[in-house]
Amino acid sequence: QVQLVESGGGLVQAGGSLRLSCAASGRTFSYYAMGWFRQAPGKERDFVASISGSGGRTVYADSVKGRFTISRDNAKNTVYLEMNSLKPEDTAVYYCAADRGLMTTSSYGYDYWGQGTQVTVSS
């Protein structure tokens, strides 16, 4: 069982930056690929970024490429999402998730989820 707790969300103006963190419980954190997803009101949960267990491979949604960076610190059992040049359309609840299997961009591939953290970007 893995428990995930996100933090770092908030209100920021367009063009600003935020860094989200996701702290994981357990001693096998490096066995899991990790992903970030987001869900805006009335919309489906969308893939944002994912990172392999070792941190050597990353994948991004086209909408965030060049603006967001996913990283992880396995010694701290934490995954991060650095978000720069934020836009109002980035407003959503952001979730981190852990995947025991192959790294995937589909939410169905993830086994554990955090409770989410709200990110609001004002214009």
Side-chain angles (χ1 to χ4, degrees), residues 16-89:
S17 298
L18 281 175
R19 188 175 84 154
L20 305 183
S21 299
C22 174
S25 65
R27 294 176 289 179
T28 58
F29 179 66
S30 63
Y31 292 179
Y32 293 84
M34 299 296 295
W36 285 98
F37 290 77
R38 65 186 181 186
Q39 189 167 20
K43 295 188 177 181
E44 294 184 351
R45 189 169 296 189
D46 290 332
F47 170 77
V48 175
S50 61
I51 188 167
S52 62
S54 67
R57 182 184 169 212
T58 57
V59 178
Y60 295 93
D62 288 342
S63 59
V64 306
K65 277 181 184 176
R67 300 189 298 122
F68 290 12
T69 302
I70 189 171
S71 61
R72 66 190 297 160
D73 184 339
N74 286 345
K76 295 183 178 180
N77 280 16
T78 302
V79 63
Y80 304 98
L81 186 68
E82 184 76 33
M83 305 186 294
N84 299 313
S85 302
L86 283 161
K87 304 174 181 180
E89 51 264 45

Side-chain angles (χ1 to χ4, degrees), residues 100-113:
R100 287 178 296 182
L102 296 176
M103 214 166 116
T104 177
T105 61
S106 169
S107 62
Y108 295 102
Y110 287 80
D111 305 290
Y112 304 101
W113 291 84

